[in-house]
Amino acid sequence: MKHFLKRVFTLKHRKHKRYHVQEGLTVAIEPESFPGDQIVNIGLGGLTFNRVDRGQPLSDRFMIDLLLDGKLYLEKLKVKLVSNIEVGDISYSSKNIRRISVQFVNLTPVQEFDVKALIKSHGIEEV
């Protein structure tokens, strides 16, 4: 219960606003291959995406690449795992879907500029 309350408090008090994103914006966990997993929302602080559970646990810190329409947009962004929860399954393949939320860690000024540009071009207000 304590962890749940902490999550609720954190979600309501994000430092950066989150935006839903248009189709075509995906994330690939390094060194995995493309096309990546669909991003649900993004902000300057981090992002959330849906991922098919492949049975391999994620570490607390890892690197991701952002892809736009299947093409590499930003690479080697350092992130910290915030949450990893099961949200359902794909009925035709019996694969579990997990919702992964990550926080960006130490973005360089160029990476921050590129994330802002991505939000401006592909973000949809409201989260």
Side-chain angles (χ1 to χ4, degrees):
M1 183 67 165
K2 181 181 174 184
H3 178 65
F4 173 75
L5 292 175
K6 182 179 177 185
R7 282 285 301 140
V8 169
F9 181 76
T10 302
L11 290 175
K12 291 187 177 188
H13 294 90
R14 281 192 170 125
K15 187 175 180 181
H16 301 284
K17 185 173 182 166
R18 288 281 180 109
Y19 298 86
H20 289 289
V21 296
Q22 298 173 18
E23 290 281 324
L25 186 59
T26 57
V27 62
I29 299 172
E30 288 199 346
E32 292 183 8
S33 61
F34 306 103
D37 300 301
Q38 183 64 44
I39 295 175
V40 175
N41 62 53
I42 190 170
L44 279 178
L47 58 88
T48 298
F49 60 96
N50 291 328
R51 181 173 197 251
V52 174
D53 188 352
R54 295 170 179 93
Q56 299 170 332
L58 292 172
S59 61
D60 289 342
R61 292 180 184 258
F62 51 95
M63 294 176 87
I64 60 171
D65 295 332
L66 299 183
L67 301 123
L68 186 54
D69 297 326
K71 296 179 182 164
L72 186 62
Y73 181 83
L74 275 168
E75 63 181 337
K76 297 183 179 7
L77 297 175
K78 295 177 187 174
V79 295
K80 177 175 109 175
L81 184 64
V82 174
S83 71
N84 180 354
I85 58 173
E86 186 174 325
V87 292
D89 62 27
I90 302 172
S91 58
Y92 66 86
S93 63
S94 299
K95 300 266 183 182
N96 288 331
I97 302 296
R98 304 200 65 82
R99 179 150 294 177
I100 313 292
S101 293
V102 296
Q103 177 182 357
F104 296 129
V105 178
N106 300 323
L107 289 178
T108 66
V110 171
Q111 288 172 330
E112 187 174 328
F113 177 85
D114 288 341
V115 170
K116 284 180 184 177
L118 185 63
I119 291 168
K120 188 173 181 180
S121 66
H122 284 74
I124 302 169
E125 188 82 21
E126 213 300 301
V127 169

